[in-house]
Amino acid sequence: MNDKKSKILFIGPTPPPYSGPELSMQQFLESETLNKAFHITFLKTNFRTDNTKKGKFGFSMVTNFFIFFSKLLKLLITTRPKCVYYPITPTQIGWIGRDVWTILLSKLFGAKVIIHLRGSHFKLNFQEFKGIVKKLVGFSLRKVDCAIVQASYLKDQFEPYISQSNVAVLYQAMDVNQYSNTNNYKVERGKILVMGHMTKAKGYTDILKIIPDLCEAFPYVKFYFAGNIRKGERGVFYNQFTGEKITYEDPFEAEETILNSVYKDNYANLGIISGEDKMKHLQTTDIFLTASYSEGFSRSLLEAMSIGKPVVYTPVGAHREVFENETHGFSFEPGELDQLKNALKHLLVDDQKRYEIGLNNRAYVVSNFSIETISDHFKTILSNTLAS
């Protein structure tokens, strides 16, 4: 029976680091639904275990370029996959360094190609690409058989190179058994948890700006940041909600300002967390916050909701079409500090509201975003592409 299953080559990152793209790829590779339907081979793309150096050009990147493509060529020759599934990057260096050549080489060996945009900012970034790069990227995109995005309104990201009829929507998936509120830990009143890179594009510097005002009204509130502080931006340059370019702010300077203020005890930098430590912080948090200027579909947001937490979030990426303001939490426009403060205040003053929203969020994730549900949708996309 196994030899009748279509061969599919998955290309992408796996943990570590334990961030969204890596964890999502691992989920698909371990999916019983997908492995029953297809013969899956995997080629790992990430050579680093630390996201702080991601996207930086250097000698190691050149070396890894040749290592990666030698492995890809070998797999294309030996396994002859019918389809190649490949999450793309949103950056010019990513497309020139790997994406263009991965697509074209896969097509050269007769494979169908499915690309996956795990963010919401390719179209805006593409405007900044150099002329020759735009032509190369456009040429490779025309060879793509199917593109996957994380929200329906993002289906225009690849126009005019890929028509919307060849673009599919696949939402973020969550292991709802692993991420559940087991009540092992007591909730800490006023604990606000933020997970992800600590950069301007993730809203880190915005959050630090509102700490003084918010903590004047709620002195017991404490912000916990889990992630790494990263200088510069390497992928998100635009406010996806407005289309405006993001004005860069140094996160190290922002942190130094808060640490040298009377509000230093309302701030905690946890660094990168994972495993039981991560689960403990998710379960003990009172409110989960994401302030990103651009997202495809925040995995950490879904993790917190799966555990039954009320959330404050920006309506970017899939968030604007799958979450409802005041039902799943409170939303605010990226960079709008007054809206951010008000959203947090709405939850901080109402214990019952936090509890009810948390219960609703858990049920909503279980019903709509379980790994079983999303894997079944992914199976349909793969099957339809193979049959086209």
Side-chain angles (χ1 to χ4, degrees):
M1 292 291 291
N2 287 350
D3 60 349
K4 293 183 179 180
K5 294 193 293 187
S6 294
K7 296 178 181 179
I8 299 182
L9 174 59
F10 277 43
I11 303 174
T14 53
Y18 293 87
S19 53
E22 289 80 10
L23 290 167
S24 294
M25 178 61 77
Q26 182 172 277
Q27 283 182 322
F28 287 141
L29 291 172
E30 295 174 352
S31 166
E32 184 177 351
T33 298
L34 297 178
N35 281 286
K36 278 185 177 180
F38 309 105
H39 185 279
I40 297 174
T41 306
F42 176 60
L43 174 57
K44 185 173 181 174
T45 58
N46 53 325
F47 296 88
R48 300 184 178 107
T49 59
D50 182 357
N51 266 335
T52 57
K53 297 179 180 178
K54 201 174 192 178
K56 283 189 175 180
F57 182 79
F59 177 75
S60 63
M61 179 179 283
V62 175
T63 303
N64 292 336
F65 173 91
F66 289 105
I67 293 173
F68 169 77
F69 280 104
S70 64
K71 289 181 178 180
L72 175 58
L73 185 61
K74 181 179 179 180
L75 284 172
L76 289 171
I77 292 171
T78 58
T79 66
R80 304 297 294 192
K82 296 290 185 182
C83 181
V84 171
Y85 164 71
Y86 177 63
I88 57 166
T89 62
T91 64
Q92 180 171 256
I93 192 170
W95 273 92
I96 285 298
R98 189 160 60 202
D99 296 358
V100 166
W101 318 115
T102 299
I103 293 169
L104 296 180
L105 191 59
S106 299
K107 294 300 294 184
L108 183 65
F109 279 82
K112 302 268 189 177
V113 172
I114 299 175
I115 61 172
H116 194 162
L117 176 64
R118 300 200 60 85
S120 61
H121 39 266
F122 172 76
K123 192 172 186 178
L124 289 170
N125 285 3
F126 183 74
Q127 298 172 6
E128 302 285 324
F129 288 10
K130 302 294 184 183
I132 185 65
V133 177
K134 281 185 176 180
K135 290 181 179 179
L136 276 170
V137 173
F139 178 77
S140 65
L141 285 174
R142 291 188 189 279
K143 304 296 181 182
V144 169
D145 297 277
C146 176
I148 298 174
V149 293
Q150 293 187 290
S152 295
Y153 81 96
L154 295 173
K155 292 181 76 172
D156 68 345
Q157 287 290 295
F158 302 106
E159 289 183 338
Y161 307 106
I162 304 175
S163 69
Q164 291 193 31
S165 61
N166 290 326
V167 179
V169 177
L170 189 68
Y171 291 135
Q172 184 70 268
M174 185 53 48
D175 185 337
V176 295
N177 295 317
Q178 178 186 5
Y179 287 89
S180 61
N181 192 351
T182 58
N183 297 313
N184 289 337
Y185 305 100
K186 184 179 179 181
V187 172
E188 297 175 19
R189 178 172 176 256
K191 178 175 181 176
I192 299 173
L193 179 64
V194 185
M195 291 170 55
H197 302 312
M198 294 148 75
T199 64
K200 169 67 175 181
K202 286 290 186 181
Y204 171 70
T205 57
D206 292 338
I207 298 169
L208 296 193
K209 290 175 187 175
I210 63 107
I211 288 179
D213 282 351
L214 194 74
C215 292
E216 278 294 312
F218 304 91
Y220 59 88
V221 163
K222 187 167 184 176
F223 290 81
Y224 291 77
F225 294 87
N228 48 32
I229 299 184
R230 219 164 64 177
K231 201 172 184 69
E233 301 290 353
R234 289 191 282 281
V236 179
F237 306 103
Y238 290 90
N239 181 334
Q240 186 259 324
F241 189 82
T242 65
E244 297 174 352
K245 202 156 190 176
I246 299 171
T247 301
Y248 177 75
E249 293 173 352
D250 190 321
F252 289 98
E253 292 180 2
E255 183 183 49
E256 186 177 357
T257 298
I258 202 72
L259 289 176
N260 289 325
S261 74
V262 296
Y263 303 100
K264 62 182 180 181
D265 292 334
N266 301 99
Y267 171 89
N269 181 344
L270 301 173
I272 298 173
I273 59 174
S274 61
E276 185 61 25
D277 190 29
K278 174 181 173 180
M279 200 62 67
K280 176 182 176 181
H281 281 290
L282 280 167
Q283 290 192 10
T284 57
T285 197
D286 208 2
I287 299 169
F288 186 85
L289 167 63
T290 176
S292 297
Y293 280 74
S294 181
E295 288 281 358
F297 197 151
S298 170
R299 179 182 175 83
S300 60
L301 180 64
L302 211 56
E303 288 172 346
M305 294 176 70
S306 180
I307 284 177
K309 298 299 176 180
V311 297
V312 170
Y313 63 96
T314 48
V316 293
H319 307 170
R320 68 165 67 179
E321 69 185 40
V322 300
F323 301 138
E324 186 177 341
N325 186 37
E326 298 187 33
T327 297
H328 301 109
F330 289 88
S331 68
F332 67 98
E333 296 175 18
E336 294 296 328
L337 303 189
D338 286 338
Q339 289 184 25
L340 168 56
K341 285 186 288 187
N342 288 334
L344 289 170
K345 287 176 181 178
H346 279 306
L347 287 176
L348 287 168
V349 299
D350 195 335
D351 295 354
Q352 185 63 26
K353 187 74 170 176
R354 294 199 304 278
Y355 176 74
E356 291 174 354
I357 288 176
L359 285 181
N360 181 56
N361 283 350
R362 168 67 182 173
Y364 184 65
V365 173
V366 171
S367 297
N368 295 278
F369 306 110
S370 71
I371 184 61
E372 292 80 10
T373 298
I374 303 303
S375 289
D376 197 53
H377 293 167
F378 191 20
K379 174 187 169 183
T380 299
I381 293 170
L382 291 167
S383 298
N384 289 343
T385 303
L386 286 165
S388 64

